[in-house]
Amino acid sequence: DKLTVTLDGKTVLTQGGEYNGSLSHSLGSGSHTLLVKYAKDSSDDEGGDFGEFSNIVVEDVIASGTCGDNLNWRLYHTGLLKITGTGEMTNYALSSSQKAPWDSYKDSVKSVNIEDGVTTVGSYAFYQHIALTNIEFPKSIVSIGAYAFCGCTGLTEIVIPNSVTEIGNGAFNGCTSLASITLPESLTTIGGQAFYDCTSLKSVYCKPTTPPSGGRTAEKPYYADRLGCLRSDLADFVDRWTCKL
């Protein structure tokens, strides 16, 4: 038996016998031609007696790589960045050598889908991804790192799943279009200025019965400091915990 896969006239796989796997191949924009040929006689390059094949999926991937010991990422031409695998995401930083591996494509990232099994969002992972408008968190996430979504000015709403226990410093700092946030019952710690400079913030839905810890100074109301840009109309958050502005 012989399996041959040709993409745009170029052979990308030749396999004898049964094949059960996937192929990753970068594609440019526009139309593409995929030819899958399965001949029972391996000497018959033209085919003839073909077997059956199914579940063929062609994914239009711009770039891909790893972002943790057991995590992989793929960026599609649609603007979707998908993260799959199990365990923690790598923590990143602002220096050029420590930025997230998809940072050079950040103007193309419109949505992020983090699949079940991923347990953390790394620090600075999506720092200033201004084209990002949608995030899908799995129920496996327990921590969102420092400045992970800082400066994501396209985000308008965030619903954090009831598995997250910690939101790091400045995690959503400068998300100026963010109008609504929902904080889960599982949340125990909010880092400094996690939602600072969220100037469009109108609704804060907080499900914990006990306010998360993380106070910094006695001079400023704790929750106003953490959640709401130090605006005076958030000061009553200290007393009410759940509020709608």
Side-chain angles (χ1 to χ4, degrees):
D1 295 354
K2 182 179 180 181
L3 174 71
T4 304
V5 179
T6 303
L7 178 63
D8 293 341
K10 180 180 178 181
T11 299
V12 294
L13 174 69
T14 300
Q15 175 75 34
E18 182 178 338
Y19 179 76
N20 182 13
S22 62
L23 293 172
S24 178
H25 195 80
S26 296
L27 296 173
S29 59
S31 61
H32 302 275
T33 302
L34 177 71
L35 175 62
V36 179
K37 184 164 57 176
Y38 181 70
K40 291 202 170 189
D41 181 357
S42 61
S43 64
D44 183 6
D45 290 333
E46 297 301 321
D49 187 8
F50 289 88
E52 293 184 358
F53 52 87
S54 61
N55 299 321
I56 297 171
V57 178
V58 180
E59 297 179 330
D60 200 5
V61 178
I62 296 176
S64 62
T66 61
C67 53
D69 290 342
N70 296 298
L71 298 184
N72 298 290
W73 65 274
R74 286 185 176 185
L75 177 62
Y76 299 86
H77 272 94
T78 58
L80 170 65
L81 178 66
K82 183 180 291 186
I83 297 174
T84 60
T86 58
E88 298 182 355
M89 187 185 299
T90 301
N91 287 315
Y92 301 103
L94 290 180
S95 63
S96 57
S97 62
Q98 295 179 303
K99 290 184 177 181
W102 51 79
D103 187 77
S104 60
Y105 301 96
K106 64 183 179 182
D107 291 343
S108 300
V109 177
K110 299 177 182 178
S111 61
V112 173
N113 181 359
I114 304 173
E115 294 197 348
D116 194 50
V118 182
T119 58
T120 69
V121 177
S123 299
Y124 292 93
F126 302 98
Y127 183 81
Q128 292 187 346
H129 282 46
I130 61 175
L132 179 60
T133 60
N134 182 62
I135 310 166
E136 294 182 32
F137 292 110
K139 293 181 180 179
S140 56
I141 288 285
V142 297
S143 176
I144 298 174
Y147 302 96
F149 296 95
C150 178
C152 293
T153 56
L155 291 175
T156 59
E157 181 181 9
I158 297 170
V159 178
I160 298 171
N162 190 31
S163 55
V164 173
T165 60
E166 181 179 4
I167 297 175
N169 294 343
F172 297 93
N173 189 320
C175 293
T176 54
S177 298
L178 186 61
S180 174
I181 57 173
T182 299
L183 302 180
E185 186 175 355
S186 57
L187 189 64
T188 59
T189 304
I190 304 178
Q193 298 185 341
F195 294 91
Y196 183 78
D197 202 25
C198 294
T199 52
S200 297
L201 190 61
K202 299 296 182 184
S203 305
V204 180
Y205 300 100
C206 309
K207 297 182 178 180
T209 55
T210 302
S213 63
R216 186 181 60 178
T217 65
E219 293 78 17
K220 296 175 181 178
Y222 161 66
Y223 296 114
D225 182 26
R226 290 306 176 282
L227 288 170
C229 329
L230 303 179
R231 285 163 42 194
S232 60
D233 57 356
L234 279 173
D236 66 341
F237 197 85
V238 173
D239 299 319
R240 289 200 290 147
W241 181 225
T242 299
C243 67
K244 189 171 183 178
L245 307 181

